[in-house]
Amino acid sequence: MLTFYNELHSQHRGRFEMFRGELVPCFEKPERAELVLAELGRRNLGRIVTPHGVPLTSLERIHTPRYLHFLRHAWHDWLALDPDNAGKDALPSVWPVRTLRSDIEPDNFTARLGLYSMDNGTPLTSGAWTAAKTGADCAVNAAHALRLGERATFALTRPPGHHAGSDFFGGACFLNNAALAAQHLLDDGARRVAILDLDYHHGNGTQSIFYARNDVLFVSLHADPRHEFPFYLGHADETGVDAGLGYNVNLPLPAGTGSASWFAALETACLRIAMYAPDALVVSLGVDTYAGDPLSHFTLQSGDYLRLGERLAFLNLPTAFILEGGHAIRELGINVVNVLEGFETAE
C-alpha cells in the first residue's frame, strides 16, 4: 500500500462548529490523521510519501474557478473586515436558498461565505486552503500512482472531501478528494471509474458532481438522510439524470444497522460495481460506521473493517482509498488501517 500523506493537514484546525443548535469543539480535528499515520507506521504497511503539487487546472476539472478563487482568498478577505478576526474562525450565517439568487457573487464577504457553503458546521480557518489543497494533491497523486501500476494507494489527509460540491463547502469538507481522484483517472486514460462511498454520511458533493455522467458510477452506503446529515440528498430514488441515469446508487440504512445488514448492502454495492466493470475504484473511506463513533448510529466493530478490506480486494481493481470521516479518536487508526490491511492480505 503506497500512502500519500498530507503533512500540512494540521494547518487547518477549526475551533468550534455549530452542531444541532450548539457551538461545540470541532469533531474534525488534526489528531484524526495523526493517529492513522501512527498506526500505519506501527504495522509497517508500505511506503508513506509526500505528494507532488498539482496545478489549479486539475482542481478546475471538478470545482468552478469562481469557487476556487473564493477559497484561496477567503482568509485574506476575512481579515480585511477586521484585523481582530485573526483570532476567530469564519462561519457563515446566511444562505441563498430557494428563491434567492446565487448567480451573482456579492461583494460583501459574509454573503460570499454563505454563497459557497452548505452549513455552519465547517469553520473556515487561516490554514483551510493550504490543508485542503495539499489533500487534493494527495488524492490526485494516489490516482496517478494507480495508472503507473500500483495495485492500491491511500490518501491520508484531512479535512475530508465528499460533502464538497463543485462550488460549495460543508460537512467539514472544502475540496472533493474522491471526485478529483476519479476525474484524474479518467483524464489519464481510464474509460470508466467507480466511486464507493462507505462513510456514515452520504457523499452529497460527490453525487452532485457526477449525477449526469455515465463515466463514473457512484455507489454509497450511508445513514438514512431523513434523520442524518446531509439530510437533503442520499435517498434511494436518486438514480442519476440524462446520461447518468442508472449510474447513481444510494443504499440508505436505518439507525441501529449492524454488521449483518451493512455487509449485505456492501454486497449489493460490490455486485453493481462488478457489473459496471470499471478500470479503477475510488473508495471514500469513512469509518464513522463504528459503534463507538460519537456521530454514528451504526454498530460495526473493529474486526469488521478487516473483513471490509478483504471484500474490496476481491473486486480485483486498482483501488485508491481516500480518508473521509471517523471521529472515535481512540479506535480511528485501528479501524482505518484494518481496512487497508484486510485489502493487502486478502488471499
Side-chain angles (χ1 to χ4, degrees):
M1 182 76 62
L2 177 61
T3 294
F4 292 91
Y5 176 55
N6 180 357
E7 294 180 346
L8 302 180
H9 74 86
S10 62
Q11 291 198 24
H12 175 61
R13 186 184 295 266
R15 295 172 175 86
F16 297 99
E17 64 178 87
M18 187 65 70
F19 179 69
R20 296 180 182 176
E22 292 186 81
L23 201 61
V24 300
C26 288
F27 291 100
E28 205 291 298
K29 58 187 71 176
E31 291 87 338
R32 298 180 63 249
E34 293 160 5
L35 288 165
V36 176
L37 179 67
E39 186 67 16
L40 275 174
R42 189 182 72 81
R43 299 198 210 179
N44 193 26
L45 203 67
R47 288 189 300 138
I48 301 172
V49 301
T50 56
H52 297 293
V54 302
L56 281 176
T57 52
S58 294
L59 305 189
E60 290 174 356
R61 298 288 291 136
I62 291 297
H63 296 287
T64 66
R66 190 176 81 162
Y67 173 62
L68 293 172
H69 182 271
F70 168 79
L71 279 184
R72 291 171 63 198
H73 297 279
W75 189 253
H76 173 271
D77 295 344
W78 175 235
L79 295 184
L81 290 179
D82 184 344
D84 288 343
N85 282 345
K88 308 172 186 175
D89 295 342
L91 283 171
S93 58
V94 60
W95 293 270
V97 298
R98 295 179 175 82
T99 59
L100 301 181
R101 293 185 65 175
S102 60
D103 57 317
I104 298 175
E105 185 182 61
D107 293 331
N108 180 279
F109 176 76
T110 300
R112 280 187 283 126
L113 187 63
L115 176 67
Y116 294 114
S117 71
M118 63 173 280
D119 63 20
N120 62 355
T122 308
L124 198 153
T125 70
S126 60
W129 169 254
T130 297
K133 169 58 170 64
T134 310
D137 295 342
C138 288
V140 172
N141 277 248
H144 190 66
L146 297 184
R147 300 298 292 169
L148 294 178
E150 293 287 340
R151 173 175 178 259
T153 57
F154 176 41
L156 173 49
T157 185
R158 54 161 295 278
H162 71 151
H163 294 306
S166 63
D167 62 354
F168 64 85
F169 65 91
C173 305
F174 296 95
L175 297 174
N176 195 308
N177 299 317
L180 288 163
Q183 186 61 55
H184 181 81
L185 287 163
L186 294 168
D187 292 343
D188 206 30
R191 295 174 300 110
R192 52 176 65 182
V193 175
I195 299 176
L196 176 60
D197 194 316
L198 300 175
D199 196 275
Y200 178 74
H201 304 97
H202 177 256
N204 60 286
T206 314
Q207 172 173 309
S208 65
I209 288 166
F210 297 112
Y211 201 60
R213 293 171 52 173
N214 60 13
D215 55 352
V216 174
L217 170 70
F218 177 68
V219 185
S220 178
L221 283 66
H222 53 269
D224 189 334
R226 291 176 300 174
H227 307 288
E228 294 287 356
F229 186 90
F231 300 113
Y232 309 112
L233 216 59
H235 299 281
D237 64 351
E238 298 158 12
T239 59
V241 295
D242 301 330
L245 185 61
Y247 295 92
N248 193 90
V249 180
N250 285 327
L251 300 168
L253 298 166
T257 291
S259 60
S261 296
W262 193 88
F263 275 95
L266 177 67
E267 192 62 27
T268 298
C270 288
L271 291 173
R272 182 65 183 87
I273 291 168
M275 290 172 58
Y276 184 64
D279 297 314
L281 173 67
V282 175
V283 178
S284 274
L285 182 57
V287 293
D288 43 3
T289 48
Y290 176 64
D293 194 285
L295 300 182
S296 173
H297 295 287
F298 289 175
T299 62
L300 270 63
Q301 303 297 318
S302 290
D304 290 325
Y305 296 103
L306 282 165
R307 180 182 167 195
L308 165 60
E310 292 171 357
R311 180 61 185 93
L312 297 182
F314 287 127
L315 287 171
N316 197 29
L317 292 168
T319 302
F321 292 91
I322 313 292
L323 183 62
E324 300 286 3
H327 312 92
I329 294 299
R330 188 176 66 178
E331 297 86 2
L332 177 64
I334 294 169
N335 293 342
V336 169
V337 181
N338 275 358
V339 177
L340 306 181
E341 185 173 307
F343 186 95
E344 289 285 81
T345 59
E347 296 179 358

